[in-house]
Structures are given as structure tokens and as C-alpha cells.
């Protein structure tokens, strides 16, 4: 029986017994640490004798497994030193890291250091790790032993993407991680795979919700759920998705069974408040699109949600393609000595380099006529069936443009905040399957959505921030493909011209003279002004905050 099926007194007992066993565990760990030095010496002796080692492996029982999990950092550093010099017979050992059973495989140990260096260089990887674990990136899937359901799912890809390659070892070692990598670079599995692997390899199926992923929009939550369920279903782990705009009953029932939950903040808080979502066992918490989740509009919700999760021993993850300085301090208050993994030079705001960016400065009154011209250009001849995603800023604007496009004979799907959730889901579905090849959206679709084969993104109205621009155009050029982003820029957005010029320069894209004339001054972003325009609100409830979309 799950804890949710128990009476109050039974629940208390159950919670207490979990706490007790945790304390016992910590006591054991302390004792283990005291004898750690001695056991390390012994282990090193054993390592010299291959025959003994094999026998030891065969005899691997529960206790040995636990010992591996609890080896100290000293072991890792020794291993690193061995790796750094040369790959010797004795260095081809399993290397345990920190506390949670990540063991660097022999195959990975055997990779020459020059290959690792080349990977770091080629992908412009930066790792800031306060504990100096120096874990090697996984250059191939066979360099890690994951549970079979996961192996099966990821084997459809040829190798880990760079963010997966670098983040997985740290995540499997129990570290908090900030993961910053370009749009469409596989961040969902970067945080999802270690989450499910950990659930599968620990006795955790009876503990209720342990993995929580927070997403800024219903569509992204739903997409993340669709990705995770590919693995959880086969692994016997129950995953559910909760977001607003749809009835709660089914979500309540799902939450009673779930170990993994993907949620938008508003609906999750409702379910927490009414007692349907209990997060006290959540020890793997992900803020997807983390900078968005830490903006003012979400900040309080996020604080409350995090406050309901496990405070001790929780692993906290933040993943995004943009990581502005303005949110870093707040992020650090929720994390413990996080490892920051960054792929590509992401200290400066940068866009995916496989996207061709065209920026046209235009009179605001000419934008809609220009849009019709652009559609002719991007959907004609051999390109007539190409998928085009158009971004507007305001939902009223989106509704008006939608009517105008329909009047001009276009079959256009639309998603914005004035539509019901059912209409939004249907429109996105039609665009994903190709039933419709034109989607008009507000920033509800700016982040995270992984829509196959979007060839062109048109920014009819520039977003409120250049970060949002990077996310919007990132709906094309995903998973190694190329794409085009065509942006109409008006004088009304001139305060963003400098930041946009930087992004264009950073990606090696041409900067139009008309844009330069607005000056290249970049206005310091204020926390309250930062972020996507869009915030999902439950229209059935009285709004607490003013939203413009
Ligand atoms: N190892 C891999 N090799 C190739 N493709 C992959 C790999 N892992 C994931 N993908 C695919 O890459 C695409 C983009 O992944 P995902 O949606 O996770 O990107 P993202 O980095 O989260 O993007 P965004 O910043 O826009 O949220 C998906 O279609 C996913 O299936």
C-alpha cells in the first residue's frame, strides 16, 4: 500500500521509519569513512592481483556494492591522477564517485586523455566543479552501464549529446548540476536518464514521488512527460504530468501512484495545497528552462514548491539554453555546491550556430504585409510543405494575424493564451504531425518545444528580451539540423538592438546596417523585466497577477 492510502497515524509511522533508517544509514556512512583509509590501501593491493579482483567481482554482494557507493573523493582524485598520466593496467579499474554508485567504466578509463581533451575543446565544454571530481565525459553509450530499458531507448541515437556526455556522470554521482547548452541539444534526456536510472537502481518504488520536473508551460510539461514515459513505462516506474486548464481528478489519481512527476507550477501548488501532491520524498528536482522559472512571475511559486521537497539530500538540477547573470544568485540559494556544465561558450548569450539569422528593420505598419511576402518566400516551390512557425507577442495580435492569414487562404494553427487547452493541444498536435504546416504562437511556444522539422521561424514582433529571441529561434535547427530565423525588427525594440547585435556577431551572422544605427548599447536587464512574456494562468481562477498575454 502506498503512503497515500494510509491513515494519518500510519503515515506518521511510515515517515518516521524512513527518517530512522536514514539516520542509521548516515551513522554507518560515518563509521565507514573512519575505516576508509585502511580499506583504500587494501583495495589497491587487491587491484594488483587481477585474479583476486575477478573473484571479488564474482562475490559482489550487497555490502560490497554499498562500499563502492561510499568511497571518498580521495579515491577519485587518485584515479584522476592515474588517468592524467597514462592509461596503465592498474588504472583500468572501475572508479566510484561520491555517494550514489556512479562507477566510471573500464571502457571509459581506457579512453586516451587526448581524446577527452579533444572532446572538451571541440564542444567548448566548461565544467566548474567545486568538489573537483573531474569525471570524464561519456563519449559513447557503451561507456556507461544503464538499466536495460534506458539502454534500449537511447540506443536509437548514435552517441550522447555533449550535455548528456558531461552531465550524466555528475548527476549519477549525486551532484547538483546547472546544465547550460544550446536549444535542441538533448537536455531533456540529460536530466531525465539519470533520474530514471537512479530510481531503477535503488529500492525506491514504494517511496512515492521522488523525481519532480518543473516546466514553465503546459505544452513543455506534456512533451517532457512524453519523453520520460518512453523509459519509465518499460522500467515499471510510474510517471505522471500535471498542468492547468484540464480537470484535476485524473491528475489526483495519477499522483497517488507516481514516482516521477512533471508539472507546471500553478497546478502543482493547487494540488499541494489540497493535499493531493506530497513532495516530502522528492530528492531529484529539476527546473527545466531554469532561468524562466526563476523570474519574478514564477519565483514565489518555485520557492514554495522547493520548500515542500526534501531539504536534506535533495539533488537540484537547473537546465536551460540561456543563463543570465541576473538569476544565478537566486539559483544558488536552492543548490548545494553545484557543478556548472556549459556547452559552447554560454557565458555570453548565444544562439545555435546552425540557424541562419536574418534580421530586417521595418516600419511597424508594414509588418503584416511583409509576413505574407515571407510566407511566399519560405513556402513556395520545393519548399511549399516546409513548416513555418510565426511568433507574435500579444495574444490579441496573434488572434488578429491568424484571421488575416486565414483570409489570405492559409491553413494556420494557433496557440496562445486566449485559446482553451484543448484548442492549444490540438493546434500543436496538427503542426507536429504536419497536418498543418503553419503555426502562429505567442511565447507560450518559445521555450523547449521540440517540433520535428521546423524549417523557418518568423518573428513578426520581437520578444521582450533577447534571451526569448534565442529560445524562439531555437525551435528550428534542432538535434544537429539547420534552419532559418527571419526577424522583423522595429524602432519600438531599439533598446534591444545592442544585445541582438551581440547574438548575431556571436553566431557569425550578418548584422544589417539599419540595426547598427540604433546603437550597440546593451541595457542592463532588470530582474523584473527579464523573461518570456508568457505565463500560463488558469482562466477558471481569479487572476492573482497581472499578465499581458
Ligand atoms: N543523444 C542524442 N542524439 C541525437 N538526438 C538526441 C539525443 N538525445 C536527444 N535527442 C533528440 O534531440 C532533440 C532535442 O532534444 P531536447 O528537446 O531535449 O532539446 P533541449 O536541449 O531540451 O532543447 P530546448 O533548449 O529547446 O529546450 C529531441 O528530438 C531528442 O529526441
Amino acid at each position: 500500500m502506498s503512503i497515500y492510502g494510509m491513515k494519518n497515524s500510519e503515515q506518521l509511522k511510515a515517515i518516521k521509519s524512513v527518517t530512522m533508517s536514514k539516520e542509521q544509514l548516515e551513522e554507518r556512512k560515518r563509521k565507514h569513512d573512519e575505516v576508509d583509509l585502511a580499506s583504500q590501501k587494501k583495495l589497491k593491493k587487491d587491484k594488483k592481483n587481477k585474479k583476486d579482483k575477478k573473484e571479488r567481482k564474482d562475490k559482489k554482494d550487497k555490502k560490497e556494492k554499498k562500499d563502492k557507493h561510499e568511497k571518498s573523493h580521495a579515491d577519485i582524485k587518485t584515479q584522476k591522477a592515474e588517468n592524467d598520466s597514462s592509461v596503465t593496467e592498474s588504472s583500468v579499474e572501475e572508479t566510484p564517485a561520491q555517494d550514489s554508485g556512479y562507477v566510471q567504466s573500464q571502457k571509459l578509463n581506457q579512453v586516451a586523455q587526448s581524446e577527452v581533451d579533444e572532446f572538451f575543446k571541440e564542444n567548448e565544454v566548461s565544467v566548474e566543479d567545486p568538489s573537483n571530481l573531474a569525471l570524464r565525459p561519456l563519449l559513447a553509450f557503451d561507456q556507461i552501464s544503464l538499466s536495460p530499458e534506458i539502454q534500449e531507448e537511447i540506443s536509437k541515437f548514435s552517441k550522447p549529446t555533449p550535455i548528456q556526455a558531461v552531465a550524466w556522470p555528475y548527476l549519477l554521482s549525486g551532484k547538483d548540476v546547472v546544465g547550460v547548452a544550446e536549444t535542441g541539444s538533448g537536455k531533456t534526456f540529460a536530466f531525465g536518464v539519470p533520474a530514471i536510472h537512479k530510481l531503477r537502481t535503488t529500492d525506491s518504488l514504494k517511496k512515492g514521488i521522488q523525481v519532480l520536473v518543473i516546466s514553465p508551460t503546459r505544452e513543455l510539461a506534456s512533451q517532457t512527460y512524453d519523453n520520460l514515459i518512453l523509459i519509465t513505462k518499460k522500467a515499471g516506474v510510474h510517471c505522471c504530468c500535471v498542468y492547468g486548464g484540464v480537470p484535476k481528478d485524473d491528475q489526483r489519481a495519477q499522483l497517488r501512484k507516481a514516482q516521477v512527476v512533471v508539472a507546471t507550477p500553478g497546478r502543482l501548488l493547487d494540488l499541494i495545497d489540497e493535499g493531493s501532491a506530497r513532495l516530502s520524498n522528492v530528492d531529484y528536482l529539476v527546473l527545466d528552462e531554469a532561468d524562466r522559472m526563476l523570474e519574478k512571475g514564477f519565483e514565489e511559486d518555485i520557492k514554495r514548491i522547493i520548500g515542500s521537497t526534501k531539504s536534506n539530500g535533495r539533488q537540484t538540477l537547473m537546465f536551460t539554453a540561456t543563463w543570465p547573470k541576473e538569476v544565478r544568485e537566486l539559483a544558488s540559494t536552492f543548490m548545494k555546491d553545484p557543478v556548472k556544465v556549459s556547452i559552447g561558450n554560454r557565458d555570453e548569450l548565444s544562439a545555435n550556430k546552425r540557424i541562419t539569422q536574418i534580421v530586417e528593420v521595418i516600419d511597424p505598419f508594414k509588418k503584416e504585409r511583409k509576413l505574407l511576402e515571407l510566407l511566399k518566400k519560405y513556402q513556395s516551390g520545393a519548399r511549399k510543405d516546409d513548416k513555418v512557425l510565426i511568433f507574435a507577442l500579444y495574444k490579441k495580435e496573434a488572434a488578429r494575424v491568424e484571421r488575416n492569414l486565414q483570409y489570405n487562404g492559409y491553413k494556420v494553427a494557433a496557440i496562445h493564451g486566449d485559446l482553451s487547452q484543448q484548442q492549444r493541444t490540438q493546434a500543436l498536435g496538427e503542426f507536429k504531425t504536419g497536418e498543418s504546416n503553419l503555426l502562429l504562437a505567442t511565447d507560450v511556444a518559445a521555450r523547449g518545444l521540440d517540433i520535428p522539422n521546423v524549417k523557418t521561424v518568423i518573428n513578426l514582433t520581437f520578444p521582450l528580451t533577447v534571451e526569448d529571441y534565442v529560445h524562439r529561434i531555437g525551435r528550428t535547427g534542432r538535434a544537429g539540423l539547420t534552419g532559418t530565423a527571419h526577424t522583423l525588427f522595429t524602432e519600438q525594440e531599439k533598446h534591444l538592438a545592442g544585445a541582438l547585435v551581440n547574438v548575431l556577431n556571436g553566431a557569425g551572422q550578418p548584422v544589417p546596417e539599419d540595426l547598427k544605427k540604433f546603437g550597440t548599447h546593451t541595457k542592463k536587464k532588470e530582474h523584473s523585466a527579464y523573461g518570456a512574456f508568457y505565463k500560463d494562468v488558469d482562466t477558471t481562477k481569479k487572476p492573482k497577477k497581472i499578465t499581458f498575454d
Side-chain angles (χ1 to χ4, degrees):
M1 177 168 69
S2 82
I3 198 164
Y4 304 113
M6 299 173 183
K7 288 184 196 144
N8 278 352
S9 57
E10 288 171 330
Q11 285 179 4
L12 264 175
K13 252 193 232 162
I15 291 165
K16 244 185 181 170
S17 80
V18 172
T19 319
M20 286 282 289
S21 60
K22 278 263 166 288
E23 283 164 7
Q24 284 166 349
L25 220 68
E26 266 165 20
E27 178 58 24
R28 245 187 275 168
K29 189 169 187 275
R30 252 198 314 279
K31 281 185 184 157
H32 173 81
D33 285 345
E34 282 166 21
V35 294
D36 196 38
L37 206 63
S39 57
Q40 276 177 43
K41 279 183 190 164
K42 186 179 178 301
L43 268 174
K44 275 191 180 158
K45 258 189 187 174
D46 289 348
K47 282 176 190 172
K48 281 184 189 154
N49 189 329
K50 270 194 165 180
K51 211 176 163 195
D52 283 356
K53 187 182 71 184
K54 197 171 181 307
E55 277 171 14
R56 199 175 65 245
K57 260 193 166 182
D58 292 342
K59 278 185 203 162
K60 221 184 244 174
D61 58 16
K62 236 183 177 178
K63 185 178 175 301
E64 267 184 321
K65 249 188 191 174
K66 198 163 184 302
D67 285 347
K68 271 186 183 173
H69 295 192
E70 293 179 352
K71 272 189 178 180
S72 71
H73 292 185
D75 245 2
I76 312 297
K77 282 185 185 158
T78 310
Q79 185 66 46
K80 185 187 177 265
E82 285 168 359
N83 283 340
D84 284 350
S85 50
S86 66
V87 181
T88 61
E89 184 67 355
S90 63
S91 73
V92 186
E93 281 297 324
E94 291 185 332
T95 307
Q98 193 134 332
D99 59 351
S100 69
Y102 173 67
V103 175
Q104 197 160 281
S105 69
Q106 296 192 13
K107 267 209 166 125
L108 184 50
N109 285 339
Q110 279 167 331
V111 172
Q113 185 59 34
S114 57
E115 214 180 307
V116 173
D117 293 342
E118 181 55 30
F119 170 88
F120 278 125
K121 198 172 148 204
E122 197 184 313
N123 295 291
E124 297 178 272
V125 177
S126 121
V127 180
E128 289 165 34
D129 172 18
S131 10
N132 207 14
L133 288 180
L135 298 176
R136 290 187 141 197
L138 300 156
L139 307 184
F141 286 129
D142 66 0
Q143 291 169 0
I144 186 167
S145 164
L146 293 165
S147 60
E149 311 80 18
I150 300 178
Q151 293 280 12
E152 192 188 325
E153 188 50 41
I154 59 177
S155 65
K156 65 184 182 197
F157 305 124
S158 59
K159 60 179 183 188
T161 64
I163 185 71
Q164 294 164 358
V166 184
W168 282 352
Y170 288 100
L171 289 171
L172 291 168
S173 303
K175 299 299 294 177
D176 283 6
V177 169
V178 175
V180 190
E182 70 180 16
T183 49
S185 60
K187 293 190 286 293
T188 312
F189 277 160
F191 62 73
V193 162
I196 314 303
H197 177 78
K198 286 177 139 203
L199 282 178
R200 285 287 284 118
T201 48
T202 52
D203 180 25
S204 57
L205 293 185
K206 294 186 203 100
K207 284 198 212 154
I209 305 165
Q210 291 142 83
V211 175
L212 175 64
V213 181
I214 315 277
S215 298
T217 65
R218 299 163 189 175
E219 283 76 8
L220 182 55
S222 170
Q223 175 187 294
T224 302
Y225 167 80
D226 288 344
N227 273 304
L228 296 186
I229 196 120
L230 294 171
I231 309 172
T232 55
K233 216 173 185 174
K234 292 178 201 148
V237 170
H238 196 87
C239 179
C240 80
C241 187
V242 301
Y243 54 78
V246 292
K248 285 183 190 157
D249 278 349
D250 186 47
Q251 297 180 353
R252 289 188 188 108
Q254 296 294 327
L255 281 168
R256 279 195 283 277
K257 296 182 273 181
Q259 286 93 42
V260 180
V261 174
V262 186
T264 53
R267 174 58 61 92
L268 181 61
L269 279 170
D270 277 358
L271 292 163
I272 292 172
D273 289 344
E274 65 169 43
S276 305
R278 292 163 214 228
L279 305 184
S280 53
N281 277 337
V282 168
D283 56 11
Y284 193 99
L285 172 72
V286 185
L287 299 195
D288 193 12
E289 308 296 342
D291 51 333
R292 174 81 184 99
M293 304 310 310
L294 296 169
E295 283 165 31
K296 274 247 161 84
F298 278 123
E299 189 185 329
E300 289 310 313
D301 290 355
I302 293 302
K303 278 185 181 160
R304 277 191 61 209
I305 291 170
I306 295 183
S308 312
T309 63
K310 204 169 179 173
S311 52
N312 262 335
R314 185 193 66 229
Q315 215 178 333
T316 309
L317 287 64
M318 309 228 175
F319 277 76
T320 180
T322 52
W323 196 230
K325 294 184 180 68
E326 288 78 3
V327 299
R328 295 181 198 174
E329 204 177 308
L330 177 60
S332 69
T333 63
F334 301 121
M335 306 183 92
K336 197 168 167 279
D337 302 331
V339 178
K340 185 180 170 201
V341 174
S342 154
I343 311 293
N345 177 17
R346 307 209 71 82
D347 230 29
E348 293 307 322
L349 178 63
S350 54
N352 173 339
K353 293 190 176 101
R354 290 182 312 278
I355 303 169
T356 302
Q357 300 177 57
I358 301 165
V359 176
E360 220 177 312
V361 178
I362 189 169
D363 180 330
F365 296 106
K366 294 185 178 156
K367 283 197 307 188
E368 285 186 40
R369 185 149 20 105
K370 183 73 193 180
L371 175 63
L372 295 174
E373 283 172 30
L374 291 179
L375 288 179
K376 278 202 187 107
K377 176 177 168 187
Y378 291 116
Q379 284 188 327
S380 62
R383 299 156 102 184
K384 75 175 177 17
D385 293 325
D386 279 7
K387 277 188 197 169
V388 176
L389 171 56
I390 305 164
F391 278 104
L393 185 57
Y394 303 95
K395 57 190 177 187
K396 296 280 177 256
E397 178 194 13
R400 190 189 66 242
V401 176
E402 183 187 5
R403 282 194 301 274
N404 193 25
L405 288 172
Q406 281 163 347
Y407 177 78
N408 281 280
Y410 287 96
K411 182 178 182 315
V412 55
I415 61 171
H416 54 76
D418 260 357
L419 300 172
S420 69
Q421 190 50 43
Q422 199 201 345
Q423 288 171 308
R424 276 162 61 164
T425 306
Q426 189 181 337
L428 187 59
E430 284 175 5
F431 191 55
K432 277 192 172 176
T433 58
E435 198 180 317
S436 148
N437 59 13
L438 197 54
L439 181 70
L440 178 66
T442 55
D443 282 298
V444 66
R447 283 178 177 254
L449 294 190
D450 188 47
I451 304 162
N453 296 318
V454 174
K455 291 285 194 297
T456 309
V457 170
I458 298 176
N459 286 310
L460 176 65
T461 302
F462 202 79
L464 288 187
T465 70
V466 180
E467 276 80 1
D468 294 335
Y469 168 80
V470 168
H471 285 278
R472 278 184 180 186
I473 70 170
R475 296 318 97 210
T476 185
R478 299 178 71 76
L481 299 177
T482 56
T484 301
H486 198 122
T487 299
L488 304 182
F489 193 93
T490 73
E491 194 171 4
Q492 287 160 2
E493 297 97 29
K494 66 180 178 192
H495 58 289
L496 297 170
L500 177 59
V501 167
N502 287 346
V503 169
L504 292 170
N505 281 332
Q509 301 292 318
V511 180
E513 287 304 319
D514 286 358
L515 186 63
K516 284 184 197 158
K517 81 173 185 236
F518 293 125
T520 48
H521 172 71
T522 50
K523 199 173 156 229
K524 194 181 176 317
K525 227 179 305 99
E526 280 167 27
H527 183 51
S528 56
Y530 169 67
F533 214 27
Y534 189 82
K535 183 178 182 201
D536 262 324
V537 282
D538 204 332
T539 45
T540 58
K541 286 177 70 183
K542 265 196 165 176
K544 281 180 274 180
K545 294 176 185 105
I546 298 168
T547 54
F548 299 93
D549 196 356

